[in-house]
Amino acid sequence: MKSFIFFIVFICVLLVNPFLAMAASTPSGIPLEEVEDVVDQFASEHIGQSTVGASIVIVKDGEIVLAKGYGQGDVENNVPIDAETSVFEWGSISKLFVYVAVMQLVEEGKLDLNEDVQTYLPEGFLTRLHYDEPITIMHLINHQAGFEDYVFDLGYSDKAYVESLEEGLRRGEPKQIYPPGEVVAYSNYSNALAGYIVELVTGQPFYEYVEEQIFSTYDEPVEAAFVPNDPTSTVETNKVNGYLPAGVGEFIEGNPFYVSIYPAGGLNGTALDLAQFALALMPEDGESPLFQSESTLEELFTQTYAPTDNFPGLAHGFWEFPGSQRTVGHGGNTAAFSSHFQLVPDERFGVIVLTNQGGELHFTQELMTTLVGLDTTKTTSSLPDTSEVSGSFQQSRKMDSSFIRLYYSLLMMSIEPHDNESIVVSFGGESAIYQQVQPYVYALDEGAPLFLTMPYLYAQMEDGELVKVSSSAGDYFPNSWMNQALLILLVVSCLYMIGAVLTIPIVFLLRKIRRSNKKSAKPFIGLQLLSFALVVNVGIMAFRMLADTARRFSEFYVQIGLNYVLLLLAFLFFFFCMKRIRREQTSKGLLFLRILSLVMFVLFASSLIYWRMLG
């Protein structure tokens, strides 16, 4: 009788909720009672080897099902990471708070997503716009305002350089290089500008608005704050050290990261602080404490951009990820921290991964994908030839107005066929195989963790020509022949100038043996020495930038000025050399060498100007 009653009750429960009898699991299918073991095993393979430390929090159905720290927050003093108390730099996860703030103001009727941003900004605020089409707030949150990636004055290792949000935006304004709405080019500036508009509309500092309208709505108090912009912040007390990898199992301490345009990446806090944000975005009854209406939350997660149908794109600033179920979130990086925040709204499932290591990919990408899954379902068997999408490509996210232009031109992505249905994609020294799952849409099959940041690629064709390749995070354009030619010219001319200078002692020695007149050679030797000095100065500029990317543009004023002086002097010597060639009779061999040196100098100078080495 008892067995019969239990059976009847079980059947009734199934009729009410047929999924209740099934074990709760992650979107990728890992039962929740096993998820800690899975994460522990993953950590045992990476912590202390490829990753210095991590804090992991998993939420499901309004509850925290895992909150655990791994590795060291202070390697030298052997201080372990604690998920409850260890504070990390969140990097670009901070951007999500801008998007939520914007939607709160849209709900209140104080902002219009399709309004020209100039409506909200002080007159003459933006000074480097190139196109007449207006930039809307939707363009800002979709990274389609057309701004270049301005890396100077973005982050500092010394908080003494930090300015107000307005001053930071004015100092670091990028050039507009694309028409609004046409190209996705990831932009910290766009996000911070949206945060500034929130500040102007509400009449209070953005950090204060976030504290009052977002943090204070949570069920539990949080410690998170924008550092160092929030004068009331105390989060640095519990902040862990950030590190950079120095080899397998070796790490060196990195620099802190302070920003003037802080809405784009200035939040610091614990993983549990972010878990409260996740819970507020996935309420049980749809009524989020962040919004007055359920419809606003639904609108927040509605797709606002995708390069093609059935493709992950953007949802009001949240990046879509092709998990086993629809996933939205954002990653983050600072000088010495990496992070990831992913939500699966339909399953009320979320994962927060914070690491104290710059450029970390194993926890932030591999573990994340392990928990949310990856959809690579093939939708059709009729697919075009993969050879149509082969070539080399430059990313839309680039800096065009300074010497960093050369660096971005070297960051090319290459694509070549692997077989009839797959391609090999190479970028940043890594490679991966993508399978074609629908016409011109490719899904990541296998490869380095780097490519989990762009799990889908779409090749846009027009009249049989490949126009661009898109991921949800940005566009890639076919590398132009001009860029390739000028890059080759720069390398060849630099090598020539170096070689020419190295041969000067030999020239002097031969002339001394022959006792010939050295007067006619002086302008040419002077030109070679000045060109060599330019090569050295440019090399030093590149080394300084690569050694520490958190720099002010003003730090390069002296070297940029020196480039101007050296180039002007070189052109003066070039003029003297031209006069010498006209007046003096020399052997054909020597005449050829002198003309060659002048031609190489012109090519070299043209390359310096094109690659913005003069500022």
Side-chain angles (χ1 to χ4, degrees):
M1 178 61 68
K2 289 182 179 179
S3 298
F4 178 75
I5 293 174
F6 175 79
F7 177 76
I8 294 299
V9 171
F10 181 73
I11 292 297
C12 291
V13 168
L14 282 180
L15 290 174
V16 174
N17 186 350
F19 298 103
L20 194 60
M22 299 172 60
S25 64
T26 70
S28 62
I30 303 170
L32 289 186
E33 63 266 23
E34 298 178 14
V35 74
E36 183 173 1
D37 292 337
V38 171
V39 176
D40 286 349
Q41 177 60 36
F42 190 91
S44 69
E45 297 171 2
H46 295 286
I47 291 294
Q49 297 300 308
S50 59
T51 306
V52 62
S55 184
I56 315 294
V57 175
I58 298 174
V59 300
K60 171 69 175 171
D61 295 328
E63 302 290 336
I64 294 174
V65 298
L66 176 68
K68 200 167 184 179
Y70 300 90
Q72 303 297 311
D74 184 339
V75 173
E76 184 178 357
N77 296 306
N78 197 32
V79 178
I81 287 176
D82 186 301
E84 293 187 11
T85 60
S86 295
V87 171
F88 295 74
E89 294 175 0
W90 293 357
S92 288
I93 290 178
S94 309
K95 291 179 171 66
L96 299 182
F97 294 81
V98 174
Y99 305 137
V100 168
V102 165
M103 292 305 294
Q104 287 177 332
L105 295 178
V106 168
E107 183 179 61
E108 295 174 19
K110 296 179 179 179
L111 282 181
D112 183 341
L113 293 177
N114 297 310
E115 182 63 72
D116 186 343
V117 296
Q118 304 274 25
T119 304
Y120 305 103
L121 295 171
E123 186 176 353
F125 188 85
L126 296 176
T127 62
R128 305 186 72 190
L129 299 182
H130 183 68
Y131 297 92
D132 294 331
E133 296 89 343
I135 297 172
T136 66
I137 295 177
M138 184 65 82
H139 289 149
L140 295 182
I141 63 180
N142 279 346
H143 300 277
Q144 291 182 304
F147 293 128
E148 66 173 336
D149 189 32
Y150 193 82
V151 299
F152 296 109
D153 297 290
L154 173 63
Y156 309 111
S157 55
D158 187 342
K159 66 173 66 176
Y161 297 129
V162 174
E163 303 171 299
S164 70
L165 176 55
E166 178 182 352
E167 291 170 330
L169 287 168
R170 289 185 183 276
R171 181 182 298 277
E173 182 186 349
K175 185 172 71 171
Q176 189 184 37
I177 59 175
Y178 305 113
E182 292 192 9
V183 175
V184 175
Y186 188 84
S187 172
N188 289 295
Y189 189 87
S190 290
N191 177 270
L193 187 61
Y196 180 54
I197 290 173
V198 170
E199 188 170 286
L200 292 173
V201 170
T202 60
Q204 62 183 141
F206 182 76
Y207 68 80
E208 189 176 291
Y209 178 90
V210 170
E211 174 65 36
E212 292 182 6
Q213 302 300 324
I214 297 180
F215 291 160
S216 65
T217 67
Y218 299 160
D219 292 336
E220 300 290 337
V222 298
E223 189 180 6
F226 287 99
V227 174
N229 308 81
D230 184 351
T232 66
S233 168
T234 59
V235 298
E236 287 187 286
T237 305
N238 292 324
K239 188 173 177 179
V240 299
N241 294 335
Y243 294 90
L244 297 171
V248 178
E250 297 181 0
F251 309 94
I252 57 174
E253 192 168 342
N255 294 323
F257 189 78
Y258 303 112
V259 285
S260 297
I261 57 171
Y262 65 90
L267 271 173
N268 285 211
T270 69
L272 284 176
D273 290 340
L274 261 177
Q276 292 300 314
F277 184 55
L279 294 173
L281 288 169
M282 298 186 297
E284 181 178 6
D285 54 6
E287 295 183 2
S288 170
L290 297 171
F291 304 107
Q292 300 172 15
S293 170
E294 292 182 33
S295 62
T296 307
L297 180 60
E298 293 176 2
E299 183 182 359
L300 175 67
F301 290 145
T302 300
Q303 188 179 79
T304 53
Y305 165 79
T308 189
D309 295 336
N310 303 314
F311 194 93
L314 284 156
H316 293 90
F318 283 71
W319 293 108
E320 295 180 316
F321 181 82
S324 54
Q325 302 234 9
R326 183 170 182 262
T327 304
V328 295
H330 212 290
N333 283 281
T334 63
F337 289 81
S338 303
S339 57
H340 215 136
F341 176 90
Q342 292 278 29
L343 304 177
V344 184
D346 290 343
E347 295 198 12
R348 298 183 65 218
F349 179 87
V351 183
I352 295 96
V353 176
L354 304 179
T355 74
N356 56 329
Q357 179 176 314
E360 202 282 336
L361 291 169
H362 295 287
F363 274 82
T364 55
Q365 300 300 327
E366 280 190 279
L367 177 60
M368 186 68 71
T369 304
T370 298
L371 296 172
V372 302
L374 182 62
D375 181 16
T376 58
T377 306
K378 193 171 182 178
T379 59
T380 179
S381 58
S382 179
L383 299 170
D385 194 327
T386 57
S387 63
E388 293 184 48
V389 301
S390 62
S392 65
F393 305 84
Q394 287 192 326
Q395 59 182 351
S396 59
R397 183 185 181 182
K398 63 180 181 179
M399 189 168 184
D400 194 62
S401 62
S402 83
F403 63 90
I404 304 299
R405 181 182 191 182
L406 176 60
Y407 170 76
Y408 278 100
S409 293
L410 295 172
L411 287 177
M412 289 184 288
M413 180 176 75
S414 67
I415 298 177
E416 59 184 31
H418 182 251
D419 55 36
N420 292 335
E421 296 183 352
S422 64
I423 56 175
V424 177
V425 181
S426 300
F427 184 74
E430 305 281 1
S431 61
I433 295 175
Y434 284 72
Q435 291 287 336
Q436 191 172 191
V437 293
Q438 52 183 296
Y440 301 110
V441 173
Y442 293 82
L444 178 64
D445 183 39
E446 59 178 290
L450 168 67
F451 293 92
L452 289 169
T453 61
M454 44 183 180
Y456 270 38
L457 295 174
Y458 167 62
Q460 181 178 331
M461 308 292 292
E462 289 184 6
D463 300 324
E465 295 291 329
L466 179 58
V467 176
K468 65 180 178 180
V469 174
S470 298
S471 70
S472 58
D475 297 327
Y476 297 82
F477 296 97
N479 195 21
S480 70
W481 66 267
M482 180 181 291
N483 276 350
Q484 297 181 60
L486 287 170
L487 186 60
I488 293 171
L489 285 176
L490 178 62
V491 173
V492 171
S493 55
C494 283
L495 292 175
Y496 177 84
M497 297 304 174
I498 293 171
V501 168
L502 294 178
T503 60
I504 287 177
I506 300 174
V507 171
F508 269 100
L509 180 62
L510 291 174
R511 289 189 175 278
K512 187 173 182 180
I513 293 173
R514 296 177 180 177
R515 296 180 180 180
S516 59
N517 180 18
K518 296 179 286 185
K519 184 178 179 180
S520 63
K522 287 181 179 179
F524 295 93
I525 293 174
L527 181 62
Q528 292 169 359
L529 289 173
L530 287 168
S531 300
F532 178 75
L534 277 165
V535 172
V536 172
N537 193 45
V538 168
I540 292 173
M541 290 170 65
F543 175 79
R544 290 182 64 206
M545 192 66 201
L546 292 174
D548 183 8
T549 56
R551 289 189 180 274
R552 295 165 294 153
F553 187 65
S554 58
E555 293 182 52
F556 293 93
Y557 283 169
V558 172
Q559 286 183 286
I560 290 173
L562 183 58
N563 276 345
Y564 271 105
V565 172
L566 290 173
L567 193 59
L568 287 173
L569 288 174
F571 271 113
L572 184 62
F573 272 77
F574 176 83
F575 174 74
F576 290 141
C577 290
M578 290 291 292
K579 289 181 66 177
R580 190 72 65 184
I581 286 179
R582 282 190 199 172
R583 292 179 180 179
E584 295 188 358
Q585 297 295 324
T586 59
S587 65
K588 291 184 179 179
L590 183 58
L591 179 63
F592 171 77
L593 289 176
R594 288 182 173 180
I595 292 176
L596 177 62
S597 67
L598 295 180
V599 170
M600 294 304 296
F601 168 73
V602 170
L603 295 176
F604 174 62
S606 301
S607 298
L608 291 183
I609 295 169
Y610 177 80
W611 295 113
R612 308 289 196 265
M613 296 301 169
L614 303 180

